Amino acid sequence: MTPRSQTVTSNRVTMRDIAQQAGVAVTTVSSALHNTGRVSPDLKQRIHDIASQMGYRPKLAARLLRASKTGRLALIMIVGANKGATVISQSGSHGPIIAEFVSACSRMKVGFEIEYLESGKDQVAPECFTGGQADGALICGQVNSPKLAKWFKDNAKQYPCVYLDHVGEYNVWNNTGLGIYNAVQHLAALGHRQFAYLGVDSNYPVHRSGIDEFKRAVADFQLDDQQGQWIKLISKQSGHNREQWIDEQLVNAQSLLTGQNRPTAVIGQGVPDARCMVYAAMEKGLSVPRDLSIITYGMAADAMKSPPCLHCVEPDFSTMVQSALNMLRARLAGEAVAEKSVMVLPQLVERRSVAAVCED
């Protein structure tokens, strides 16, 4: 005998049942239970209470989907307004960081995403997370958007992040200060005693540590910076364009070479600062490095684009990115992270802008 077909009535509570009980749309219930969309806190709490009272349980498939991982990591680049990804990836530290991230993920056989977010733009969340494309990310650049900063903070457990050279709960820093300190020590070992520093007056931690460690090195090695008078910093004003900035820094560089008493060694906070110093020396008929030694902080590739090729304190991007990825993977695995903040020593790349002090 062929068994009769039976209609099985399920007692499982659905979101439609909750919506009818609460007197709202099904989409509102979904938003409240999944923390998506815009639902007032009071209504969200009422919907959760009704769901609990009715014994609502999500479908097993849905629970498994939310618990699943993509196995992919992201690199989120915070870039300036009106700067395209192509331009950013080829300039400054962004290019080396991207290259090291791609290389490290390839070595670890881990899939990856790279996303660009505009600094200061009122964004709510990165697409690599909301689109389910990554489990965690390295963040390069300062998060200026209050909404985006709040999103990262509120979702730190679900989407762990590690910051590169920027403030965050978990971060990896380039130890700029110690790199500058070691550069001064290197020059002092070559007989230099009169030192100057050319840079920008900024509260940005990397810049601040460079200035502070320069001062410490001058004191430790009993060097002469004219009691700080040879530390030339231009103010970081939002109204300055690049041409104005270069003009002002060139004036600072020229002032260091006025008169008989002048520095024999200069630390540039960045490659443009060092180039201003080279140009000022040429105007005075001074030779680099015979009459004036210069070391810059920045990218070694940028430091050799025009003569003379500059000695350069360059961040160790390979170690920085690998350390950040190790920290991120530990967080994703639920392992304890021994150090939430790691400092990586930069390396001195020697080129053609440093020589022993000339005694004549």
Side-chain angles (χ1 to χ4, degrees):
M1 179 182 293
T2 304
R4 295 178 181 177
S5 61
Q6 294 181 330
T7 300
V8 179
T9 302
S10 172
N11 292 322
R12 185 177 62 82
V13 177
T14 67
M15 283 192 284
R16 186 176 298 279
D17 298 327
I18 299 170
Q20 290 176 348
Q21 183 69 22
V24 297
V26 175
T27 53
T28 303
V29 173
S30 177
S31 295
L33 296 179
H34 297 149
N35 290 317
T36 60
R38 295 184 178 181
V39 181
S40 70
D42 290 343
L43 180 55
K44 183 184 293 186
Q45 185 60 53
R46 187 162 72 87
I47 290 173
H48 274 274
D49 290 343
I50 292 173
S52 178
Q53 292 167 6
M54 296 180 70
Y56 172 74
R57 294 289 183 274
K59 289 182 180 179
L60 177 60
R63 292 204 304 271
L64 290 175
L65 180 62
R66 285 194 293 276
S68 68
K69 297 293 183 181
T70 67
R72 300 173 69 83
L73 304 177
L75 174 63
I76 299 175
M77 308 294 291
I78 312 293
V79 302
N82 302 319
K83 292 185 178 180
T86 302
V87 174
I88 289 298
S89 64
Q90 294 175 351
S91 65
S93 63
H94 291 82
I97 287 175
I98 292 171
E100 292 296 342
F101 175 76
V102 171
S103 177
C105 287
S106 299
R107 288 196 304 271
M108 297 186 297
K109 295 181 171 55
V110 173
F112 60 87
E113 298 288 331
I114 298 175
E115 181 173 349
Y116 292 86
L117 297 179
E118 188 176 310
S119 175
K121 188 175 181 180
D122 202 15
Q123 293 167 299
V124 178
E127 291 182 5
C128 62
F129 290 144
T130 58
Q133 299 166 348
D135 302 325
L138 304 188
I139 300 177
C140 177
Q142 188 167 344
V143 181
N144 292 322
S145 165
K147 285 187 178 180
L148 187 58
K150 184 178 186 303
W151 189 93
F152 279 125
K153 182 178 180 180
D154 293 345
N155 294 274
K157 289 186 177 180
Q158 185 175 2
Y159 300 113
C161 292
V162 176
Y163 292 78
L164 289 169
D165 246 2
H166 287 276
V167 177
E169 185 180 1
Y170 294 84
N171 48 54
V172 174
W173 292 93
N174 169 51
N175 198 338
T176 307
L178 187 54
I180 296 297
Y181 184 96
N182 290 344
V184 173
Q185 184 179 30
H186 177 77
L187 289 163
L190 293 174
H192 292 277
R193 289 294 176 267
Q194 294 173 292
F195 280 76
Y197 185 98
L198 204 61
V200 177
D201 188 8
S202 168
N203 288 324
Y204 182 52
V206 172
H207 293 163
R208 195 72 255 165
S209 66
I211 298 167
D212 291 343
E213 288 300 298
F214 173 81
K215 293 177 180 178
R216 186 169 75 90
V218 167
D220 287 353
F221 303 121
Q222 299 181 338
L223 306 173
D224 179 16
D225 67 350
Q226 290 292 290
Q227 297 181 326
Q229 294 299 308
W230 284 347
I231 298 177
K232 300 292 185 179
L233 306 174
I234 60 174
S235 60
K236 189 177 182 181
Q237 298 179 19
S238 58
H240 272 41
N241 59 37
R242 184 172 179 82
E243 288 73 21
Q244 291 173 319
W245 181 87
I246 292 293
D247 288 344
E248 187 173 341
Q249 198 65 296
L250 183 57
V251 171
N252 280 337
Q254 291 166 336
S255 71
L256 289 170
L257 303 180
T258 301
Q260 293 296 319
N261 188 31
R262 63 168 180 81
T264 63
V266 179
I267 300 294
Q269 192 180 76
V271 175
D273 304 297
R275 289 295 174 201
C276 285
M277 202 68 240
V278 170
Y279 187 80
M282 290 173 58
E283 285 186 322
K284 291 289 184 180
L286 300 175
S287 171
V288 177
R290 186 191 65 198
D291 303 314
L292 184 69
S293 289
I294 301 173
I295 295 181
T296 185
Y297 171 82
M299 307 301 107
D302 293 338
M304 62 182 296
K305 285 182 178 178
S306 60
C309 295
L310 298 170
H311 273 51
C312 181
V313 177
E314 182 179 57
D316 184 351
F317 293 112
S318 178
T319 301
M320 286 180 67
V321 170
Q322 190 61 62
S323 298
L325 285 172
N326 291 343
M327 190 183 297
L328 179 61
R329 296 184 80 189
R331 294 190 64 199
L332 287 168
E335 300 171 0
V337 177
E339 294 183 77
K340 292 185 176 181
S341 185
V342 174
M343 300 290 283
V344 177
L345 182 66
Q347 49 205 351
L348 178 62
V349 181
E350 298 188 36
R351 292 282 167 70
R352 298 177 181 175
S353 63
V354 168
V357 68
C358 186
E359 298 292 347
D360 56 10

